[in-house]
Amino acid sequence: MNREEARKEIQRLSDLIEQHNHHYYVEAKPVISDFEFDALMQQLMALESEFPELLQPDSPSQRVGGAITKEFPTVVHKSAMLSLSNTYSREEVAAFDERVRKALGENIEYVCELKYDGVAVGVTYENGIMVLGATRGDGTQGDDITTNLKTVRAIPLRLRGNDYPAHFEIRGEVFMPREAFEQLNAAREDAGEELLANPRNTTAGTLKMQDSSVVASRKLDSYLYALIGNDLPFQNHYDNLMKAKEWGFKVPPYVAKCRTLDEVYRFMETWEKERNSLPFDIDGVVIKVNDYAAQRELGFTAKSPRWAIAFKFKAQKEEARLLSVSYQVGRTGAVTPVANLDPVLLAGTTVKRASLHNSAQIEKLDLHIGDSVFVEKGGDIIPKIVGVNTTLRPDGAEKVVFITRCPECETPLVQEEGEAAHYCPNHMGCPPQILGRIVHFIGRRAMDIEGLGEETIELLYEKGLVHNYADLYDLKYVNLFGLEKVIESDEPGGKQKKISIREKTAENILTGLEKSKTVPFERVLFALGIRFVGETVAKKLAYHFGDLNKLMQASEEELLAVHEVGQSITDSILAFFASEKNRELIERLRAKGLQFALHAEALEGRSETLKGLTFVISGTFGELSRDDLKALLEKNGGKIVSSVSSKTSYLVAGDDMGPSKKEKAAKLNVPVVDLEHIKALIAGTS
Ligand code: IVH
């Protein structure tokens, strides 16, 4: 391809990708599969790397991220990014309406919107191309986070149509949908990392990250809610917003035009009730005067427009009595204080426990046993204590003092520099840490040992049969058969539960352990429970080093050289293998035959070509067994599920396939392909 042909092809691919991006992220109606989308992106990126001078700043490849920003330059906003005046009461909304009517007469139109709980950004477009993205900062100047904002797929890099002003700014809110937030926290929990408090703070932190490829992986979303410019097509907010939608912006569907205060109230009430049904957090509604001339007439105070007001929902908050504080010790030794409360109904659920985070939090609240505390369920997933009603403090109430020794093993706690949490350093002798590590080891995503669960592990530990995960492989039938334990319920008056290991269970456990010896190296590595080494990092390390010996011998520099492995992961790996006890456990596991290296086949013929694609297999495939086909798809990054849904990428049809799957695929527009097609997909010739 010569340069001119490449230029045309880059243009064609960019247009096509942006179009599909819009279908997917803005309209939520994808037209092609993720696989086909990725293939287009690969083609574009290949051409751009061959002809780097043809890379455009609005190329869709910018969405993948990769650029590192050490320090974000400051930008002065062309027009100040003001905030809204807030209120929590209907009366103040009525007073706002009265002021507006007094100034403008009775012919008023409001636009009511949701108040998204995220981070405000301003994005500038020149001739339809995104040229700048900035944070609000102090309202006058913010940070230039253009590279990071380009990875947010709901924000167009290039506009559609041709009737947009040559220069304008659009403002909106970037946020993290609750599901993305929960997934992120689940992954962090697996890796033994500290959990993130709520989607809003996480969004703010993410937008300020130096590595834009991490930002790209965080699944941020955005709604746009204000246009600023001299040549906007309409003289009112609502019509411009709808026009912006035509240009490719993700404009919220939760918008209503209201003429009376009652209509405004209805909007407020509806969303206060329905807020939990949205896939993202909101903290109120915003009421804006629609007409620009009317807005100008009302003008601004020093801080906020007089033509708009935010009605904030009351935090979902209740008062409850603090009965006691207990302390939980996690797998990594971190000690978390938990408040035990007299049960109270909060935002539809009964709350009995609330997080107290750490010792500093307890100090700050000046907490006493018997206190009446305010429990709040805000954006945070776990309810938290936000204050104490000191007027109700019982006489002589005892002050809560953070423990100095581990509640489980009495070891004096330590606090590492720069960390808020206290740790029990007795990693090898503290029961919940020992148990936590074994339970992690047998987990579904780690060694996935059938027949073993948390309660059985506790039983084996209490009977002195298992002190670490290597001991599991020394278990014999005679040790297991006949073991019994009665578990008391947490609830007063709740039922007792008895677990006992009979013949069948004992056999299952032993078979499960035997079977786990074929679990691939990357999962064994995850199972070891090295702090910060979650599933993804374990996989990266496994494929980078190939076997455990190489990883154990790796130097600090060699570890840091692995993509996405930073200083804390490196330190943690070095510390783990420096421990003689850990090395001894590893040698015992090795002697038992666990997989400590990638299989040659695992390395050969592996690819990520089918990453993001979901397959359903139906029928038979001649020579190739269904298990082999499954392995082939998985080896190339594909995922196999059992039934066809709208999320299925392909139905792989063999001989003698039943009619029902085929009908369902036809109904949901899922492509039906044969084995040849799959082979071509993997080979990249499809
Ligand atoms: S309009 C001049 N509309 O609330 C007014 N703001 O306190 C410009 N926000 O910083 C803001 N949803 O981050 C507007 N539908 C919405 C909003 C919204 C959330 C945030 C925004 C702003 C803050 C104002």
Side-chain angles (χ1 to χ4, degrees):
M1 207 180 277
N2 68 31
R3 198 165 170 278
E4 185 50 25
E5 284 163 346
R7 196 190 58 74
K8 282 202 183 121
E9 182 61 4
I10 285 179
Q11 183 69 42
R12 186 188 73 84
L13 287 167
S14 300
D15 288 348
L16 198 60
I17 293 172
E18 266 313 284
Q19 203 176 321
H20 285 300
N21 190 64
H22 185 85
H23 289 314
Y24 191 107
Y25 290 98
V26 180
E27 293 170 357
K29 280 193 209 105
V31 171
I32 58 172
S33 70
D34 292 2
F35 175 69
E36 287 161 308
F37 185 88
D38 288 346
L40 291 173
M41 189 70 97
Q42 294 295 338
Q43 282 176 39
L44 173 65
M45 286 166 77
L47 272 179
E48 285 175 345
S49 77
E50 198 180 332
F51 298 92
E53 72 279 13
L54 295 178
L55 174 69
Q56 296 295 317
D58 65 333
S59 166
S61 61
Q62 305 297 298
R63 302 235 188 248
V64 180
I68 308 280
T69 315
K70 281 274 174 248
E71 218 163 298
F72 298 100
T74 301
V75 268
V76 177
H77 300 305
K78 287 227 167 66
S79 94
M81 281 181 88
L82 298 173
S83 61
L84 294 166
S85 64
N86 285 331
T87 170
Y88 289 89
S89 83
R90 279 163 78 102
E91 291 69 39
E92 282 186 43
V93 176
F96 163 76
D97 176 58
E98 212 176 295
R99 285 195 301 275
V100 170
R101 286 179 197 276
K102 205 163 162 194
L104 302 171
E106 282 303 311
N107 190 16
I108 300 291
E109 188 169 59
Y110 295 115
V111 177
C112 291
E113 297 170 13
L114 303 184
K115 190 169 189 304
Y116 309 98
D117 199 5
V119 175
V121 296
V123 190
T124 306
Y125 288 81
E126 305 263 14
N127 301 314
I129 307 286
M130 170 181 172
V131 292
L132 176 70
T135 60
R136 176 169 178 269
D138 63 5
T140 314
Q141 53 183 45
D143 288 336
D144 175 347
I145 52 161
T146 312
T147 339
N148 283 347
L149 273 186
K150 280 185 177 175
T151 70
V152 179
R153 308 226 173 197
I155 299 177
L157 301 179
R158 180 188 305 184
L159 302 184
R160 330 178 99 204
N162 52 16
D163 57 347
Y164 41 75
H167 180 100
F168 72 98
E169 186 182 338
I170 190 160
R171 289 181 182 167
E173 201 86 352
V174 173
F175 57 87
M176 182 176 276
R178 269 199 291 271
E179 193 183 328
F181 174 74
E182 278 157 26
Q183 279 171 3
L184 181 62
N185 254 352
R188 291 177 71 94
E189 189 166 12
D190 275 347
E193 290 174 66
E194 216 170 313
L195 295 192
L196 300 161
N198 58 50
R200 179 184 5 96
N201 294 359
T202 307
T203 306
T206 303
L207 286 176
K208 291 293 197 57
M209 285 179 135
Q210 296 187 341
D211 183 347
S212 57
S213 63
V214 181
V215 185
S217 72
R218 287 274 175 103
K219 299 188 183 144
L220 296 177
D221 202 345
S222 166
Y223 273 131
L224 284 317
Y225 52 64
L227 283 100
I228 295 162
N230 292 326
D231 320 304
L232 299 177
F234 298 99
Q235 280 309 305
N236 71 75
H237 170 62
Y238 187 88
D239 290 336
N240 280 333
L241 213 55
M242 294 305 133
K243 194 73 202 172
K245 197 169 164 180
E246 287 174 30
W247 299 333
F249 289 104
K250 188 161 173 174
V251 168
Y254 324 96
V255 185
K257 284 204 254 188
C258 299
R259 289 206 160 266
T260 66
L261 187 58
D262 274 341
E263 284 170 23
V264 172
Y265 282 163
R266 262 205 298 281
F267 188 89
M268 286 160 32
E269 283 157 14
T270 306
W271 287 108
E272 181 145 25
K273 245 193 261 129
E274 293 297 322
R275 62 189 294 196
N276 292 326
S277 70
L278 291 165
F280 48 82
D281 288 341
I282 58 171
D283 59 348
V285 304
V286 182
I287 303 141
K288 303 174 180 175
V289 170
N290 190 21
D291 187 64
Y292 285 165
Q295 289 186 1
R296 276 193 296 273
E297 197 162 328
L298 287 162
F300 296 86
T301 70
K303 277 188 295 186
S304 52
R306 287 202 180 86
W307 45 264
I309 192 165
F311 172 74
K312 296 245 274 184
F313 301 144
K314 274 191 272 317
Q316 299 166 307
K317 184 158 105 180
E318 289 298 335
E319 250 179 272
R321 192 157 298 278
L322 176 71
L323 302 177
S324 62
V325 174
S326 40
Y327 298 86
Q328 288 175 348
V329 185
R331 158 165 76 90
T332 59
V335 178
T336 319
V338 179
N340 300 306
L341 307 167
D342 216 359
V344 60
L345 198 65
L346 175 63
T349 49
T350 305
V351 174
K352 283 183 273 188
R353 283 135 77 75
S355 167
L356 280 167
H357 301 298
N358 50 46
S359 60
Q361 173 79 359
I362 293 179
E363 240 354 270
K364 205 171 108 200
L365 290 166
D366 183 31
L367 215 54
H368 286 62
I369 300 296
D371 268 348
S372 184
V373 297
F374 299 110
V375 199
E376 200 173 283
K377 206 152 149 194
D380 298 9
I381 303 303
I382 307 160
K384 61 179 179 199
I385 294 180
V386 291
V388 176
N389 182 351
T390 44
T391 61
L392 293 181
R393 177 165 294 162
D395 286 340
E398 180 197 341
K399 188 172 156 63
V400 178
V401 182
F402 199 87
I403 48 173
T404 53
R405 286 173 177 273
C406 175
E408 305 281 344
C409 71
E410 309 263 297
T411 306
L413 300 179
V414 295
Q415 197 172 17
E416 275 159 44
E417 218 180 279
E419 284 201 45
H422 282 78
Y423 284 89
C424 167
N426 181 18
H427 300 308
M428 292 303 172
C430 179
Q433 296 188 56
I434 298 170
L435 278 168
R437 281 195 300 270
I438 306 175
V439 169
H440 170 80
F441 182 85
I442 62 161
R444 204 171 45 80
R445 305 223 293 271
M447 301 304 285
D448 192 20
I449 299 172
E450 269 169 58
L452 279 179
E454 199 170 333
E455 286 166 354
T456 319
I457 295 293
E458 270 170 37
L459 171 63
L460 296 172
Y461 177 74
E462 279 165 24
K463 302 286 178 194
L465 288 164
V466 170
H467 299 96
N468 55 55
Y469 38 61
D471 289 346
L472 291 171
Y473 293 91
D474 291 335
L475 290 170
K476 306 261 176 326
Y477 186 85
V478 287
N479 306 134
L480 293 167
F481 181 75
L483 290 180
E484 268 184 0
K485 179 183 175 182
V486 175
I487 302 169
E488 299 294 339
S489 160
D490 291 350
E491 310 281 327
K495 272 205 193 118
Q496 280 186 343
K497 197 167 127 187
K498 190 166 146 183
I499 54 167
S500 52
I501 301 184
R502 321 249 29 112
E503 209 175 298
K504 190 90 194 120
T505 325
E507 276 166 16
N508 281 348
I509 294 174
L510 294 172
T511 328
L513 283 163
E514 202 49 44
K515 254 170 67 186
S516 75
K517 293 179 183 169
T518 61
V519 164
F521 173 47
E522 69 234 38
R523 273 170 51 197
V524 178
L525 186 54
F526 169 60
L528 294 180
I530 306 170
R531 194 169 172 214
F532 302 136
V533 178
E535 262 177 303
T536 323
V537 174
K539 210 174 242 172
K540 287 233 157 76
L541 291 168
Y543 280 90
H544 186 93
F545 292 101
D547 70 59
L548 193 70
N549 280 343
K550 293 217 181 74
L551 173 63
M552 287 173 78
Q553 285 154 13
S555 65
E556 182 170 355
E557 292 71 38
E558 284 165 330
L559 287 167
L560 284 168
V562 183
H563 185 58
E564 279 180 38
V565 171
Q567 195 63 52
S568 37
I569 299 177
T570 298
D571 290 347
S572 163
I573 296 170
L574 291 172
F576 186 89
F577 293 121
S579 145
E580 200 167 319
K581 180 85 194 166
N582 284 335
R583 288 204 305 269
E584 185 199 310
L585 289 179
I586 286 166
E587 285 326 308
R588 282 176 60 199
L589 293 175
R590 192 197 300 276
K592 293 289 177 187
L594 269 66
Q595 302 299 316
F596 276 175
L598 284 178
H599 276 297
E601 309 98 83
L603 280 169
E604 249 170 56
R606 269 196 90 90
S607 82
E608 302 230 301
T609 344
L610 306 180
K611 198 170 155 204
L613 296 182
T614 323
F615 297 85
V616 172
I617 303 176
S618 182
T620 57
F621 299 85
E623 292 287 278
L624 194 70
S625 75
R626 283 168 62 106
D627 277 345
D628 287 345
L629 173 57
K630 208 174 140 195
L632 176 72
L633 294 169
E634 282 177 343
K635 203 157 129 182
N636 289 286
K639 192 173 133 193
I640 287 95
V641 293
S642 56
S643 63
V644 179
S645 77
S646 60
K647 292 204 184 106
T648 310
S649 320
Y650 292 100
L651 170 61
V652 192
D655 297 329
D656 309 318
M657 171 178 143
S660 69
K661 282 207 168 84
K662 209 169 190 166
E663 276 165 25
K664 191 143 181 219
K667 207 159 89 196
L668 295 171
N669 272 331
V670 172
V672 182
V673 297
D674 60 9
L675 186 58
E676 290 315 306
H677 190 101
I678 293 297
K679 287 183 180 158
L681 267 184
I682 293 170
T685 52
S686 154

